[in-house]
Structure formats: C-alpha cells, structure tokens
Amino acid sequence: MRVAGKGLVDCSKPLRFLFDGTSYQGFEGDTLASALLANDVKMVARSFKYHRPRGIVGAGSEEAGALVTVGSGAHQDPNVRATVQEIYEGLSAQSQNRWPSLGFDILSVNDLAAPFLGAGFYYKTFMWPKAFWEKLYEPVIRRSAGIGALSGLSNADRYEKAFAFCDLLVIGSGPSGLMAALTAARAGADVILCEEDSVFGGRLNGESLEIAETSGQDWGTAAIAELSSMDNVRLMSRTSVTGAYDQGTYGALERVSHHMTQAQGKPLETFWRIVAKRAILAAGAIERPVAFRNNDRPGIMTAAAVRTYLHRYGVAPGKAVTVFANNDDAHRTAKDLVAAGVHVAGVIDTRTDAPDGQGYPVYKGAEVCDSAGRRALESVSFRYADGRVDKLQTDCLAMSGGWNPTVHLTCHMNGRPKWDGSIQSFVPTEGMVAGLEAVGACNGAFSTHAALLQGNAAALTALGDLGLKTIAQDVPDAEDAPYRLKPLWAVKGKGRAWLDFQNDVTVKDVKMAAQENFRSVEHMKRYTTQGMAPDQGKNSNVAALAVLADATGRGIPETGTTTFRPPFVPVSIASLGAGAQGKGFAPERFTTSHTASVERGAPMIEAGLWYRPSYFPATGEKTWRESCDREVGYVRNAVGVCDVSTLGKIDIQGPDAGAFLDFVYTNMFSTLKVGRTRYGLMLREDGTVMDDGTTARLGESHYVMTTTTAAAGPVMRHLEYVKQCLRPDLDVNLVSVTEQWAQFAVAGPKSRDLLNGLLDTKIDNENWPFMACGTVSALGVEGRLFRISFSGEHAYEVAVPARYGDSLFRTLTSRAEAMGGGAYGMEALNVLRIEKGFITHSEIHGRTNAFDIGMERMVSQKKDCIGKTMSERPGLTDPEREQLVGVKPIGPVKQLTAGSFLFKSEDSAVRENAQGYMTSVGFSPEFGTFIGLGFLSNGRARHGEQMLMVDHLRDVVARVEICDPVFFDPEGGRVRG
Amino acid sequence: MRITCPLCGERDRREFYYVGDAVALNRPDPDAGDVVWDDYVHNRDNPAGVTRDLWYHESGCASWIVVTRNTITHEVLETALASDVKEATS
Ligand SMILES: [Zn+2]
C-alpha cells in the first residue's frame, strides 16, 4: 500500500501495467516490484525446484525472489528482476515457472516430494538405467526445474556497444561514490560516475538520514546537480559495471530503453567498455537474510529493502510489519515505519542487549523459528533462549542478518577477499585490481560519515596518481553509528530453512553436502547448486559458507569463498554481440562489378568476406550447369570475362624487393626480368604450402604480388612478419592495394582481339608474350596488363584504378558478347582450372607440401627461404604420402564428389582402407563427364589404376581411373596462342 | 586488455593479432639441425609469469610488436617494435 507523503515517485504521472494479465496502476519512478507491493501483490513467482511461492525479497539488482518475464513474442525477456524493471505505460509482465497459473501450479507437488529432491538428487536418483537419462529424466527435469524461458524467436531488439575513457571511474553513487566524484571532479579530473539504479544516490534514497544538517536525499540531489553541471563529468545511470579487466578496462551494461514504451530509435541495452586510469569502487553492501524454517514465504524481505520501499517509493510492504534482527541497523526499519504511520508489530532481536523500541515492542534474546501463511506471510513464531515460543500476526517480516560488502569487482582479476571478524563478513583485499580502490560499505565502512571520508580520501589518492592538483575538501558531517552485530546465520530447528531462494538450497542441503564429504566450498556449491542461480549467490553465499564451516568444524576464513567471476549482474549475450546479428556478423566486401553482376541475375556466393558471381544465367537456361557449361565454352572457344579483383594484391617496393621475394617464395624472383610475371609458391616455416600466385616485376625495385582471395590477409600479415621480425635488414616496403585496383581476367582465343579494341596501343604476340606485364592505356585510362592464365587459354588480366572498374566490366562483357563470348562466374572458373590441374586452397588446404602437389622442384636449391629447411624432412618426401592426381569416372556412375574417399577396388570402403580423397570436382563440357582432383598415396606412380570413389555422406559410389591432374592441353600450347 | 603500440599509443587489444612467443624472432640457420629447427617451429614454453609475445597491430599501423607481459598479473611490462628488437640482437 502507498504511504502518503513518502517516496520519490511522481504521483502526478500514473501508469497502467499488466502482471499475469491483470491491470494495475503505478507511478512514474516505480519499479515493477514497488508497484506490485503498492497493489498488495505479494506472491510473484514460483521457485526453481520445489515450485514454492516466491515474493519480493530485496529492492536491488541482487533480487533473489522476484524474477519475471517481460514482453512477448520476439521481445520476450525472461528472468527480469522486478526490482530493477521500471514500469512504463503498457508494460506487460508474467510470472515464471508455474503451470497453469501462479496460484495453482501442478508442479508444486515437487514440494511434497522434497525429501527425494535434496542436494545431489540429480546424481543419486537418476543414475539407472542409463538409457532413461536422455529419454525420460532429463526432459522431465528440464520441464519442472527451471526459470524463465526464451521465446525461441530471433531477437528483434537493437543493442549497441560503445567505448568510453576517463581519468577516474566511480562505481556507485551512494555517499562514498558521490563524495569521491565531487572531490575528483572539482580538481578537474575526467570522471565517469556509473549508477545501476535509475536515480543517483544509492542508499541515500532508501534511508532517512542527515548529511551536513540536511537530509541525505537533498545532499545527494545537490551533489548530482553540481556534477551534472561540469563538463569533465559523465553521469551514467541505469549502468551496472559488470566486470574489472586488464589495464583499467571495465565492462558496463547500460539499460537504455528497458523503461520505455517505445524505444524511440534507442537501443535496448548498450554494453560499454570503459577504460579508466583509476577507479573507485563504491558498490555498497547487500543485506543478508537469515535462514529459518519457512523463511521463503512471500512477505519476508530484507530490512533495508522495506526502508527502500518506504523512502524511495512511498510503499509499505505490509500493514503490520515485524523486524527480525541481530544488529542495530535493522531497528531503523521499525523507527522509519512508525514515523511514517505504518504499524510495526514488533522487533525480534537475537541480542539480549538490543536497543529499546520507540513506539513498538522489542522482543530481546529471541529468534524467529517459523512462519505461516497460505500464499503469503500471515504470522511468525519466535523462540526465546529458554525454549518458550511466541507468535506474532504479521504480513511482512523485515529481516537482517547483517551486511555483506559488495566485493565482487575487486575479485575479478583472481583476487580473494579477506575475512573481517568485526563485521562478520568478507572485505576487499587491497590491490587485487590495479588502480581500483574500494570505499564505503563495499569496503566494510558502514557508517555514512566513514563512507564520505573514504570516498574523499580515495579520490585524493587517485588525483595524486594522475598528477592532478588536489583541492582540500570539507567532508560533511553525517551519522557515525557503530555497527553492532551478533552473528546469526541459521536458526536451529526442524524443517527447511532457505539459504538460496532462487535455486531452492536449504541449510539441510549444505549440511548433507558436508556429510557426504563435499567439504570444499567449490564442491559444496556444485553438489547443491548453491549460488548458481541468476543472483550468483549474492544473497546467500556468505551464509552458506558459514553453515558449511559449522558443519565441517572449520572457521569461515578457512572455508574460503568460491571464485567471483564477471559479470556482476546478468548480461545479455545480445548486448555483448551487439551489431553482429544477421548481416552484422561479418562485413560484406563488394567488387566494382557487383552491381552489374547482380543486374545480370548472377547468384552471388561468399568468398571469405567477398561476394562473387556464381554464374550468369541466360534466358531459357533451367539449371546452373547449363549456364556453367556455356560460360566454359566462352573461354575455350571465344572470350570470357571474369572479375578477379578479390585476389590479394600487394605492392612491394624497395632496392631489396627482389631479395625479399626470394626469401618468402620457394623460387627466384630477383632474377625475374622487368616486364615479366612469374608463378610463385609460398611455404609456411614448417614446410607446408601457405599460398601461391603470380608476381609481376613492374620496375627494377617494384613488384606486385598476387595472393589467393582467401589468403590475402594472412599473406599480408606474413610478409610484414618476415620483413619486420626476420629481415629488418632488407630495404623494402609493402602495402596492400587489393581494393585500389579492379582487375578482370580476359580469357580465350579471342582475348587479344577484345583487348585491342580497347587499348590505345595495340599488342601482339611479340611485344606481349605469355607472362609479360606492364603499363597500358585502355580507353584513355592508365592501367596494367598481365598476360597470365588460370584457364590454360590465351588470356590476360587487365587492371584499372577501382573507380573505373564498373565501366570497364560493362564494356568488356558487352564487347565479349558481340564476339560470341561473355561474362563467366566462379563455377566456370573452377571447371576451367580443374581441366588444367591448377590448384586452389581446396588442394593447398594446410596439410600439403610442395612434394605433395608435385612442385618440389620449385623449391630452389640456390638459396634459403621460409619453409625450406623443414620441407626437406624425410617424412615430407615419403612416396607413400598422398600426392595430387586427376580422377575420372569409368563406370556407370559418372558423378564425382569432393570430400569422398578413394579405395582399392578389392577393399571394403572403410576409413582404414582409404588411399586418398577428392578435393575438387567439376563437370567438364570438353570431356562430357565429371572430372576431379584429389590426393592419393603414391599417386604419381598410379596413373591408370582403377579404384572406387566412395562418398559415405551423399551415398555415391563410382568406379574411377587415376590420371595425370592436367586433363586439358597437357603440352600447354594454347596459352601461348 | 590494452597494448601500447610504440607508434600508435595505448590501444584496445581487439586491434591486434596475436601470434605467440617472441622466440619466433630467432630463426635458426638453415643448417642448424633437426633439433634446433624442431624447437624453433614447434616447441613453446607456457610460463606462469613474465612472457614475451609477438602481436601485430593489424587494425592499426601494421607494426609487429614484442609485448612483455605477466600472465599472472596481466601487467603489460614493456612493448617494442619487433624490427628494433631484431636489429639490436643481430
Ligand atoms: Zn600501431
């Protein structure tokens, strides 16, 4: 219910929202949790394993009870913490983990079966028979034990990722964080202040306290106003810092439009990488629940959460509130409620020296030992030391077992927190994250005054480290009450007492783990699943440790903590992968002929990041094979045009360019004449073939290397590596010019005729023989011409600056068509090169060496080169190695398939008998059949042998004959035309 | 992780390509023998502590960089151009 005159919500802005289909009203500034409590909705979920009713436990991002699903369809978002989700007009949320409804849930029968579902029940109950696991047990468990579900649809929301840089990152905007930010910002430091709440102020908004003789809220508002007026400060609300990483890098998740009806073009979330020279962690502390029988009933919350609902949202979570405490701090809850006119049934304090009540009874030296109520709390029982049990009628229990500093980020770089007996909790170990200092409650300083002092001091230290001039600050006065606490983790007694509300882990489960010898905290965690729910044990870890320590007769510090890992709060995969959905997954590279190719109806296929035409369909053609056969015919009989710009082009210049190429290629390039091109083979240092291609010498100290499309990047990286790491003595420079030049293959008997129609100076066989290269002028544009061939035909490649590419492609193709030829695509290119036995990365696939592909004589004996020494290892020239061969069908089955295996005719087709495999196949119009390339053990000596080609996946078995890999024009006469 | 490129300054590690131990700089003579070559091409230490790696500023200035860092503390202790390191040792 609402409490008049309290809260920061805007009562002039009512909003309607739906929960499980029922419409409710809240106000702007409400979270779903505060709005539900204001409407007296107590039960909001069912638990993970036992399907017990669950209510709202806290008021922050660590919420252990109130997980809901927001939205529907592709926008459905499961496991949203109702304490974090702000309401907006039209918000629709559903409870989770119940069927058919929250009130009546069939699987709550699990709660009756609880004796069988304790710690380790997965391992014990579902062991045998083995086959039942997949078919029966797992599907049943998955259905019954779980939290929210994904929609199964592609995520329709937009996400963003971003970088930010600062001198000082302040994490948290409670009193210590605000003080740190003020001190640093006033000294001129670039400050980023991150606050995971929608408003700044941290606990200041949830408490009634004074700073500098004004209310804590007002002091915080003034501090934020000052900070927001400064250019050197960036305030980021709704932003959770999720992880601390190397070199001052922090991950942060900003909830940009989760609170808006319409995103208005904004992303749903932005994942930030913040690089900070220094950081101050002011993350506060999390109040810990106490384990007692039936402590999981809706209506049982933490004491500070009750204060937050009162002060921040103007909501009383109950009509008659009881406080259960072992420390002074929790008594504020009773005081504040009474001051606001809310009835307090009493304070039950475990300490006999607890403070007296101010308008409410205090039951000293007593412990709450049970709760009752159907779907929400109706009463609590409490027991005195002498065993006397009493009962209070109450609909809200505000419990506090003390506070746990939020040490998480200080442990993300493998740090461990240390035990502080004075507060009975873990505090950060200094220096665990370089450049990060913890202050205030997360550092174990629980009074407001101590928080302000530490915030100021840490900022001064950071300023000193940054070399900035510091300005002395007055730290304002504030409450400085001592933290008085008597440890209490679990109230003794029968029945189930919950530690982990999300994963349904009880005190008994932890004790059982210890009994069954899972005594290490890491083993206990995995055996019981304690701390493995979305809150990652923020509410339960320390208490569970304490119970384990007790059960194993060790102290808590000796028992130790589990490892704290990022993220601090759940981070959606979508935000981490922002921009990478669909087309964003990989950039698309288009050639200059892309538009013209698409206009001609060419299906574009991926070649790395590039897109290349598969074939160019002509009117009346029904299959790609018809188009491919026609295009092969262009090249063999007339002239074909193909965009080859995707091949890597590396410009190599300098007096030592030739010597450099001699070192990276197996063969000689320093001896290549200017105006000539040579085929080169490049090895990795282990002797395996890395890449191949042609390199042209355009001048004395100027070469242009061509790489394969796939290896353009790796070869560039390799060349830079060789130049910088191995041969800095060579005077040579490298630059990739792949995108600067549009390059087209012009191939076929009429290729020169086609080119001579364009070239300003005509060429002939004398002045432009096979492997010649040089500068030409085509239709007034200066370009380069290379007489090289990947088809075995008389062919050229002509290159022009990329801006002329589209025009040149259209001119070449239309003129080729007039000569009985035309454009050809990748399919035809592939057939043409297979007919000639030319290799691609299908053959040089990372396991083949020069010997395997029949090029061992290309490894020059006159010089050293990368890979030479290792390629001479005896095992790499063993005749039994698989060697490149041609394969043609000779039986009734004419189809060949790449990836199939070769077997001796008499052997059975099992893996152990495989003699080799197929790498490339294509249908050759020339021979009227499929032909292929492959690798066969001792293959060069087996030409003429008949074998079986078996494709076990596609179920193809063909009788084949092994042959020379060069099927077409083995003498090579055509290329010299 | 942040790496200071000697030419470009401190940059996010996503701009760099990682290749491995900087012993790659010490290419043996062709006739150094099988053991030396096997060691050079295949064998690498995996230290818990200080290590020297080669990183390539692929999305930057294309420098190969020798990065000295601590695998336990994640500190980057020193960066230098590989060409400078190589020239100093040869
Ligand atoms: Zn650089």
Side-chain angles (χ1 to χ4, degrees):
Chain A
M1 63 180 181
R2 294 281 173 191
V3 181
K6 303 292 284 184
L8 306 176
V9 296
D10 189 345
C11 295
S12 70
K13 291 182 181 154
L15 299 167
R16 306 255 6 141
F17 67 97
L18 294 169
F19 180 66
D20 276 348
T22 305
S23 178
Y24 297 99
Q25 184 188 278
F27 297 114
E28 193 172 292
D30 263 324
T31 61
L32 181 59
S34 68
L36 286 170
L37 287 172
N39 285 282
D40 296 322
V41 178
K42 298 278 182 72
M43 178 179 165
V44 296
R46 289 268 180 184
S47 72
F48 172 71
K49 198 159 79 177
Y50 300 129
H51 290 243
R52 303 248 307 177
R54 285 283 181 266
I56 294 154
V57 178
S61 70
E62 73 282 0
E63 175 59 19
L67 298 185
V68 299
T69 295
V70 171
S72 58
H75 298 283
Q76 179 174 318
D77 200 359
N79 304 329
V80 172
R81 291 145 292 161
T83 51
V84 172
Q85 176 65 54
E86 296 161 65
I87 61 163
Y88 52 81
E89 186 65 33
L91 167 74
S92 175
Q94 284 87 39
S95 56
Q96 299 180 162
N97 210 23
R98 82 292 188 268
W99 188 82
S101 73
L102 188 57
F104 176 71
D105 170 43
I106 297 280
L107 283 166
S108 56
V109 68
N110 279 8
D111 198 29
L112 303 174
F116 308 104
L117 297 177
F121 84 99
Y122 297 106
Y123 313 114
K124 292 171 188 164
T125 313
F126 303 114
M127 288 289 282
W128 311 102
K130 211 173 171 186
F132 274 30
W133 176 253
E134 237 173 73
K135 293 199 171 66
L136 181 67
Y137 298 146
E138 191 180 343
V140 169
I141 292 168
R142 282 204 185 280
R143 204 196 133 121
S144 68
I147 37 182
L150 295 167
S151 68
L153 302 169
S154 179
N155 192 336
D157 293 309
R158 202 162 74 76
Y159 296 79
E160 201 53 86
K161 52 187 168 192
F163 284 82
F165 302 83
C166 61
D167 290 332
L168 180 68
L169 170 66
V170 180
I171 303 160
S173 70
S176 61
L178 282 179
M179 193 65 226
L182 280 173
T183 299
R186 284 170 182 162
D190 279 329
V191 175
I192 293 179
L193 175 60
C194 286
E195 167 56 56
E196 66 175 359
D197 202 342
S198 58
V199 295
F200 294 93
R203 283 307 302 162
L204 294 176
N205 298 318
E207 302 286 1
S208 161
L209 46 80
E210 284 194 350
I211 296 179
E213 288 159 13
T214 175
S215 83
Q217 270 178 20
D218 288 349
W219 181 84
T221 306
I224 288 298
E226 181 182 341
L227 291 168
S228 61
S229 73
M230 298 164 88
D231 289 340
N232 54 330
V233 177
R234 177 176 198 154
L235 298 173
M236 297 176 73
S237 62
R238 301 188 176 94
T239 305
S240 306
V241 176
T242 57
Y245 304 92
D246 304 334
Q247 282 82 41
T249 306
Y250 295 83
L253 181 71
E254 182 184 7
R255 304 184 314 282
V256 182
S257 63
H258 273 295
H259 60 295
M260 296 160 76
T261 308
Q262 300 282 331
Q264 293 163 358
K266 291 180 181 173
L268 190 64
E269 296 172 352
T270 298
F271 189 80
W272 289 88
R273 290 184 178 90
I274 301 173
V275 181
K277 291 176 187 153
R278 286 291 179 277
I280 290 177
L281 182 67
I286 295 171
E287 196 165 25
R288 54 199 186 208
V290 178
F292 61 86
R293 185 178 198 174
N294 293 321
N295 65 334
D296 64 329
R297 211 175 289 284
I300 302 180
M301 315 171 68
T302 63
V306 172
R307 296 202 293 282
T308 298
Y309 286 112
L310 178 68
H311 295 298
R312 165 91 188 273
Y313 301 103
V315 170
K319 294 182 177 70
V321 181
T322 303
V323 176
F324 176 30
N326 67 344
N327 62 79
D328 285 2
D329 184 66
H331 287 245
R332 295 168 197 263
T333 304
K335 263 181 260 173
D336 292 359
L337 286 169
V338 166
V342 180
H343 176 61
V344 172
V347 176
I348 299 158
D349 197 313
T350 59
R351 302 168 301 169
T352 49
D353 63 345
D356 293 326
Q358 299 167 22
Y360 48 86
V362 177
Y363 304 94
K364 300 182 186 179
E367 297 174 332
V368 174
C369 56
D370 200 358
S371 79
R374 214 170 139 254
R375 284 179 197 157
L377 183 68
E378 287 163 18
S379 70
V380 295
S381 303
F382 59 100
R383 189 176 51 212
Y384 290 96
D386 59 9
R388 190 161 40 95
V389 173
D390 216 336
K391 203 170 190 178
L392 276 178
Q393 295 300 313
T394 185
D395 60 348
C396 174
L397 181 72
M399 62 178 161
S400 174
W403 291 83
N404 292 329
T406 304
V407 301
H408 300 64
L409 259 68
T410 67
C411 301
H412 281 179
M413 307 271 288
N414 214 22
R416 295 279 172 170
K418 60 186 184 200
W419 181 253
D420 181 346
S422 72
I423 60 165
Q424 287 291 303
S425 195
F426 288 96
V427 292
T429 307
E430 261 178 67
M432 286 295 101
V433 174
L436 175 82
E437 190 172 347
V439 296
C442 75
N443 196 33
F446 289 154
S447 84
T448 310
H449 191 64
L452 294 168
L453 284 173
Q454 289 196 356
N456 180 57
L460 292 175
T461 306
L463 289 168
D465 293 348
L466 293 164
L468 290 169
K469 220 176 102 185
T470 56
I471 302 164
Q473 300 291 321
D474 286 334
V475 175
D477 284 336
E479 65 80 24
D480 201 11
Y483 181 63
R484 293 179 59 237
L485 167 130
K486 180 187 169 196
L488 172 67
W489 309 102
V491 175
K492 289 193 169 52
K494 284 187 183 157
R496 283 176 291 164
W498 265 258
L499 290 163
D500 187 328
F501 297 113
Q502 279 181 343
N503 263 2
D504 268 334
V505 179
T506 65
V507 170
K508 217 161 97 183
D509 292 325
V510 174
K511 286 182 175 167
M512 190 193 288
Q515 236 169 49
E516 299 186 358
N517 217 22
F518 293 95
R519 295 158 62 91
S520 143
V521 61
E522 298 283 7
H523 289 158
M524 179 277 284
K525 168 181 167 170
R526 282 152 186 84
Y527 196 56
T528 61
T529 73
Q530 193 281 322
M532 290 163 73
D535 82 324
Q536 290 286 290
K538 288 193 189 73
N539 298 280
S540 56
N541 274 350
V542 179
L545 278 178
V547 171
L548 181 68
D550 187 49
T552 56
R554 294 171 295 184
I556 296 172
E558 293 77 50
T559 304
T561 63
T562 51
T563 310
F564 294 85
R565 293 190 183 88
F568 174 69
V569 292
V571 176
S572 59
I573 299 292
S575 69
L576 292 173
Q581 269 184 290
K583 292 268 187 194
F585 184 70
E588 295 171 293
R589 298 178 82 182
F590 295 137
T591 61
T592 58
S593 66
H594 188 84
T595 308
S597 299
V598 171
E599 282 169 12
R600 286 167 173 268
M604 304 303 282
I605 54 169
E606 289 176 35
L609 300 176
W610 290 101
Y611 286 78
R612 304 186 74 181
S614 183
Y615 55 93
F616 295 86
T619 317
E621 287 174 346
K622 292 187 184 66
T623 67
W624 67 269
R625 260 284 310 286
E626 287 180 71
S627 309
C628 177
D629 290 357
R630 171 178 48 77
E631 291 171 11
V632 169
Y634 286 165
V635 176
R636 293 279 177 244
N637 305 314
V639 58
V641 176
C642 180
D643 193 329
V644 293
S645 310
T646 61
L647 275 73
K649 299 182 268 301
I650 301 171
D651 204 77
I652 301 169
Q653 297 196 39
D656 295 327
F660 176 75
L661 288 168
D662 286 346
F663 191 55
V664 295
Y665 274 133
T666 61
N667 46 333
M668 297 290 283
F669 278 82
S670 55
T671 55
L672 183 65
K673 288 189 177 67
V674 174
R676 286 292 182 273
T677 304
R678 182 169 285 170
Y679 175 80
L681 187 68
M682 197 179 283
L683 304 181
R684 306 192 312 220
E685 194 69 279
D686 66 2
T688 305
V689 176
M690 173 185 256
D691 199 39
D692 69 345
T694 58
T695 289
R697 189 167 197 175
L698 296 176
E700 264 313 309
S701 58
H702 186 193
Y703 294 78
V704 175
M705 176 189 286
T706 308
T707 76
T708 58
T709 298
V715 167
M716 185 69 201
R717 186 190 303 143
H718 173 69
L719 296 189
E720 288 286 5
Y721 164 75
V722 173
K723 171 179 132 57
Q724 297 178 42
C725 298
L726 301 181
R727 298 302 304 272
D729 56 307
L730 296 178
D731 188 358
V732 61
N733 276 294
L734 317 165
V735 64
S736 168
V737 293
T738 304
E739 291 185 339
Q740 278 64 36
W741 293 90
Q743 193 154 321
F744 304 98
V746 180
K750 296 182 182 173
S751 56
R752 184 162 52 217
D753 296 343
L754 172 56
L755 284 171
N756 273 337
L758 273 74
L759 295 175
D760 299 330
T761 307
K762 298 203 183 337
I763 57 166
D764 57 34
N765 218 16
E766 301 306 311
N767 66 17
W768 220 281
F770 181 52
M771 296 309 258
C773 67
T775 302
V776 292
S777 175
L779 301 174
V781 174
E782 187 171 303
R784 292 168 179 171
L785 186 66
F786 310 86
R787 184 161 170 190
I788 51 179
S789 175
F790 198 48
S791 57
E793 294 298 330
H794 175 190
Y796 302 83
E797 289 186 12
V798 57
V800 291
R803 62 187 180 281
Y804 299 110
D806 174 69
S807 165
L808 182 59
F809 180 76
R810 290 174 193 271
T811 306
L812 285 170
T813 48
S814 62
R815 292 191 184 193
E817 282 162 1
M819 300 167 77
Y824 66 101
M826 290 305 99
E827 295 296 345
L829 180 141
N830 198 41
V831 170
L832 290 161
R833 69 97 189 169
I834 293 171
E835 287 180 340
K836 284 296 295 176
F838 290 148
I839 55 172
T840 66
H841 279 289
S842 296
E843 285 72 39
I844 46 173
H845 49 46
R847 288 178 294 145
T848 49
N849 63 43
F851 171 81
D852 301 335
I853 56 173
M855 292 191 188
E856 70 274 23
R857 278 188 301 277
M858 277 189 68
V859 184
S860 168
Q861 294 307 306
K862 290 184 213 143
K863 62 178 179 81
D864 184 23
C865 73
I866 298 285
K868 184 183 174 192
T869 304
M870 293 299 263
S871 74
E872 288 165 351
R873 286 176 288 173
L876 294 187
T877 51
D878 185 333
E880 293 307 309
R881 284 183 68 85
E882 289 156 339
Q883 302 164 354
L884 183 68
V885 293
V887 180
K888 54 190 177 191
I890 51 170
V893 175
K894 299 294 181 198
Q895 191 190 0
L896 301 181
T897 57
S900 55
F901 287 94
L902 297 169
F903 298 92
K904 286 181 182 166
S905 300
E906 65 271 23
D907 282 350
S908 60
V910 294
R911 185 69 188 86
E912 302 88 294
N913 291 337
Q915 298 271 300
Y917 56 94
M918 302 292 293
T919 51
S920 299
V921 301
F923 182 85
S924 166
E926 187 71 29
F927 299 103
T929 178
F930 272 92
I931 55 171
L933 300 175
F935 286 87
L936 179 64
S937 176
N938 198 19
R940 283 192 282 275
R942 295 169 74 174
H943 293 178
E945 185 173 331
Q946 298 190 0
M947 302 193 77
L948 277 183
M949 185 212 80
V950 182
D951 185 330
H952 297 85
L953 288 178
R954 282 163 286 198
D955 218 11
V956 180
V957 179
R959 285 183 54 222
V960 296
E961 185 184 308
I962 306 305
C963 59
D964 191 273
V966 185
F967 293 86
F968 182 74
D969 187 27
E971 295 77 29
R974 297 175 70 92
V975 77
R976 294 171 197 282
Chain B
M1 182 175 177
R2 312 272 301 165
I3 295 170
T4 301
C5 170
L7 301 185
C8 308
E10 190 192 285
R11 316 292 299 178
D12 187 81
R13 61 123 175 110
R14 287 164 190 77
E15 294 185 7
F16 298 83
Y17 177 89
Y18 172 77
V19 72
D21 200 304
V23 297
L25 295 175
N26 312 325
R27 188 173 184 269
D29 288 335
D31 54 1
D34 289 349
V35 175
V36 173
W37 271 97
D38 179 43
D39 208 34
Y40 173 70
V41 173
H42 298 123
N43 297 330
R44 295 293 180 268
D45 290 334
N46 183 19
V50 175
T51 177
R52 283 169 84 239
D53 311 318
L54 280 173
W55 294 72
Y56 179 47
H57 199 186
E58 189 156 37
S59 302
C61 64
S63 287
W64 279 92
I65 301 163
V66 178
V67 177
T68 308
R69 64 191 181 96
N70 189 317
T71 59
I72 297 172
T73 64
H74 305 267
E75 280 172 287
V76 174
L77 303 165
E78 192 189 343
T79 56
L81 291 176
S83 53
D84 289 348
V85 174
K86 178 71 178 175
E87 290 206 304
T89 56
S90 56

